[in-house]
Amino acid sequence: MASKLQFLLLLSFSYAILQLSMAGDPDILSDFIVPPNVGGPLDGNFFTFTGMRSLVGAPFPTTFKVLKASMAEFPALNGQSVSYAVLQFPSGSVNPPHTHPRASELLFVLMGSLDVGFVDTTNKLFTQKLQQGDIFVFPKGLVHFQFNSDAKSPALALSAFGSASAGTVSVPNTVFNSTIDDQVLALSFKTDVATIQKIKSGFSG
Ligand SMILES: *[C@@H]1O[C@H](CO)[C@@H](O)[C@H](O)[C@H]1NC(C)=O
């Protein structure tokens, strides 16, 4: 009896390790996936995303801006385990603490500089001051941020993700803009309801 139980435990343990070692999206059983609404003969256009052309020659935004090329914007990425985002940081702007539940992120600073950081599961903070040309990896699922502390220069970065649909969970928005009960938040943050409501009021506008 004991050996059968041990065998089952071993089996489920091996399966868990196998799951952990799958870094990307699940494998697909075809070369690529074409959504049913794509009609006509397939050609290179299906595998082309032109949404970033809007960046060319455009004025730099005045607030932090993300332009994504993920499965939602670019359906050919379905099943391919990759996606991009272009991040534009005017002086002094921040990409607030957030996580990508389904992917690690490889950030490439194309212009300017960025102060970045992530917190691991032991609550240790890792930071770096990145300059133009530097690449930084944010491990999968961990809370991270980017900040352009330069008072004069904007910063531009390209992020690659190991998933066609990395997902973004913003910490401030998830906690203070999702209608979680004030009392739950007050107890959780060891403060009072009035303080929670004051923070929440900043999200309503
Ligand atoms: C708060 O949530 C609403 C509704 O989802 C959204 O429209 C708004 O942009 C959010 N506010 C902030 C500051 O993220």
Side-chain angles (χ1 to χ4, degrees):
M1 284 305 277
S3 70
K4 193 171 179 184
L5 186 68
Q6 277 169 355
F7 176 72
L8 282 175
L9 278 173
L10 194 73
L11 200 71
S12 57
F13 186 64
S14 320
Y15 184 70
I17 288 188
L18 205 71
Q19 287 285 306
L20 283 175
S21 68
M22 287 185 193
D25 298 342
D27 277 336
I28 55 172
L29 301 178
S30 53
D31 296 342
F32 45 82
I33 296 171
V34 184
N37 65 336
V38 174
L42 206 64
D43 60 17
N45 288 326
F46 175 67
F47 302 95
T48 309
F49 181 69
T50 58
M52 299 295 178
R53 286 186 186 176
S54 63
L55 292 164
V56 182
F60 210 82
T62 53
T63 55
F64 167 70
K65 195 176 168 192
V66 187
L67 216 61
K68 291 181 194 169
S70 71
M71 197 179 94
E73 300 81 20
F74 185 13
L77 295 186
N78 189 7
Q80 304 302 329
S81 297
V82 289
S83 58
Y84 267 147
V86 172
L87 314 174
Q88 293 175 288
F89 300 83
S91 290
S93 65
V94 70
N95 184 6
H98 63 280
T99 74
H100 303 291
R102 291 180 287 277
S104 33
E105 173 176 357
L106 198 57
L107 178 137
F108 185 8
V109 181
L110 302 173
M111 184 181 94
S113 61
L114 284 175
D115 296 348
V116 303
F118 71 85
V119 181
D120 75 5
T121 55
T122 70
N123 217 30
K124 180 175 162 64
L125 172 68
F126 295 84
T127 60
Q128 188 59 273
K129 203 165 183 62
L130 301 174
Q131 61 178 49
Q132 190 174 26
D134 291 350
I135 293 176
F136 191 86
V137 63
F138 299 100
K140 186 172 179 172
L142 300 183
V143 172
H144 61 279
F145 60 88
Q146 298 109 16
F147 175 46
N148 179 11
S149 62
D150 192 304
K152 294 200 182 94
S153 309
L156 178 70
L158 176 67
S159 277
F161 299 91
S163 166
S165 181
T168 298
V169 176
S170 161
V171 175
N173 206 35
T174 298
V175 175
F176 296 110
N177 193 25
S178 67
T179 68
I180 296 177
D181 189 83
D182 290 349
Q183 205 177 350
V184 171
L185 293 178
L187 286 166
S188 305
F189 285 88
K190 305 188 193 311
T191 185
D192 49 42
V193 165
T195 305
I196 295 298
Q197 286 175 345
K198 189 171 177 214
I199 298 172
K200 278 188 170 180
S201 68
F203 287 84
S204 51

